[in-house]
Amino acid sequence: ESNKTATCTPCDPGTYQSSTGQSSCLQCWEGTAQTDEGSDTCVDCEVGHYADEQGLPQCKACPQGEIQPSTGRDGCTECEQGYYQSSTGQGSCLTCEDNTFSAQSKLL
């Protein structure tokens, strides 16, 4: 029996193909993701999110104590001393108020 292809298969989430006549899909690169099936591009991760590996169907939220102020990044950065972030998926740290402090990075 011959190995004939009757149809073309859509690219899986986390992958894309922007050219015609291809035999496979490409993985989304770090800092991007694709939630949809059959896409021709990947989308930059939003502020507060990151993709630290290729082929992710969706970006990950930065954890508490870390932020990502830019789009399309592959990681998050810790809040500096004197700042904090108690929520996930944020793009900026908050300043410690009067009568409070943060002596160490990544304060929750």
Side-chain angles (χ1 to χ4, degrees):
E1 187 173 310
S2 63
N3 188 16
K4 293 182 180 177
T5 302
T7 62
C8 294
T9 304
C11 293
D12 289 332
T15 67
Y16 74 102
Q17 183 50 259
S18 58
S19 301
T20 59
Q22 300 301 306
S23 61
S24 65
C25 297
L26 304 171
Q27 289 188 334
C28 292
W29 50 95
E30 293 176 357
T32 68
Q34 180 50 259
T35 57
D36 298 332
E37 182 179 72
S39 182
D40 63 355
T41 185
C42 295
V43 179
D44 282 350
C45 294
E46 296 178 358
V47 167
H49 294 76
Y50 69 102
D52 59 351
E53 55 188 294
Q54 294 183 347
L56 292 180
Q58 71 181 54
C59 297
K60 304 172 184 177
C62 292
Q64 290 179 332
E66 295 184 20
I67 60 161
Q68 181 45 260
S70 302
T71 60
R73 301 302 177 153
D74 63 0
C76 303
T77 57
E78 294 182 359
C79 292
E80 296 180 12
Q81 293 181 359
Y83 297 85
Y84 73 101
Q85 183 48 260
S86 57
S87 299
T88 61
Q90 300 299 307
S92 61
C93 296
L94 305 172
T95 305
C96 291
E97 300 295 327
D98 291 347
N99 302 319
T100 67
F101 72 98
S102 166
Q104 56 186 352
S105 296
K106 208 171 181 177
L107 181 70
L108 301 181

